[in-house]
Amino acid sequence: FSRRLQEWTGERLLVDKTPRYALDLPSLRRAEDWFAEPLYIHLVRHPVATMQSYLEAKMHEVYHFPLPPRRQAELLWRLSHAHILEHLAAVPARRQHRLLFEEMVRDPRKAMEDLCAFLGIDFHPAMLSPYEGKRMTDGLHGAGRMMGDPKFHRHSGIDAAVADRWRGAPEAAHLGAATWALAGRLGYERPPVEVQTAQTDVAD
């Protein structure tokens, strides 16, 4: 079905953003069989910021893993990105693009121009105004509703300050060593040891 769906799109791009796929490595690997020359956009955000968003949206009530909410948020971040990196290790570099959330909000034009170049599509200034109009909230039908960021309607524009809003958060002091190691591979520096409290890491 997925291959047929790709054929039906014709000259258009078929896009699938399903974060839960990253929790299951075989699901990611099947994309290479289902689709012809798929392109991968690896969207990354600092683990602490991701955890804050996860907890604020009460996603722990959606996944129902038998773990405390904060630990659940950390492990989902780590497991997802570990799977993604393992999957992309076998994908040609020309078919993958890493997009850091922090770079996207600090310099959205460059981030979008680079992304468009990767996808082979034209850049359009409207890409820098996601909150204007109903492009991001329209469903296929009149009664449809947006299925995504529950805070979308609170924003009026891209806010660069959100990139560093996680700094000083208590979650940073409790991240496990394995999480910081993976974060380092993705370009995030670990805060100085002296500002972190002792903690016990979760077994991998």
Side-chain angles (χ1 to χ4, degrees), residues 173-202:
H174 297 279
L175 290 188
T179 300
W180 278 122
L182 181 56
R185 292 177 60 190
L186 295 171
Y188 296 108
E189 294 184 2
R190 184 173 184 170
V193 176
E194 59 268 19
V195 302
Q196 299 187 44
T197 60
Q199 47 77 39
T200 302
D201 193 21
V202 172

Side-chain angles (χ1 to χ4, degrees), residues 11-177:
E11 297 299 318
R12 294 173 295 176
L13 287 178
L14 173 65
V15 180
D16 187 354
K17 177 179 180 285
T18 308
R20 198 168 187 129
Y21 290 164
L23 296 177
D24 184 61
L25 186 55
S27 292
L28 292 178
R29 287 175 169 162
R30 280 195 292 270
E32 286 293 294
D33 298 323
W34 288 344
F35 301 105
E37 296 284 295
L39 302 176
Y40 298 94
I41 303 169
H42 184 187
L43 181 60
V44 184
R45 189 176 185 184
H46 194 283
V48 175
T50 304
M51 289 170 61
Q52 290 176 320
S53 178
Y54 186 94
L55 296 172
E56 185 177 356
K58 299 186 183 301
M59 291 301 296
H60 57 281
E61 297 179 0
V62 175
Y63 284 92
H64 294 296
F65 292 128
L67 294 166
R70 187 169 65 183
R71 183 59 73 189
Q72 182 185 136
E74 176 184 352
L75 292 182
L76 257 69
W77 182 93
R78 193 168 89 202
L79 182 64
S80 296
H81 288 293
H83 282 169
I84 291 170
L85 290 177
E86 185 174 347
H87 172 65
L88 293 180
V91 174
R94 62 180 176 80
R95 289 202 282 114
Q96 52 180 286
H97 179 79
R98 183 177 298 168
L99 179 59
L100 270 61
F101 172 86
E102 293 79 8
E103 294 178 354
M104 184 168 60
V105 297
R106 288 174 182 145
D107 192 349
R109 186 179 186 94
K110 183 181 186 306
M112 289 302 98
E113 288 178 342
D114 290 347
L115 180 59
C116 287
F118 167 70
L119 295 173
I121 62 176
D122 294 332
F123 168 79
H124 194 286
M127 295 176 180
L128 306 181
S129 304
Y131 302 102
E132 292 183 3
K134 296 182 178 181
R135 298 189 310 275
M136 299 289 288
T137 57
D138 268 359
L140 293 176
H141 309 286
R145 64 187 182 89
M146 179 189 185
M147 294 296 292
D149 184 357
K151 299 184 295 181
F152 184 88
H153 296 287
R154 301 182 194 175
H155 306 295
S156 59
I158 298 173
D159 181 9
V162 74
D164 297 306
R165 197 164 292 166
W166 65 270
R167 296 186 183 279
E171 288 82 3
H174 297 279
L175 290 188

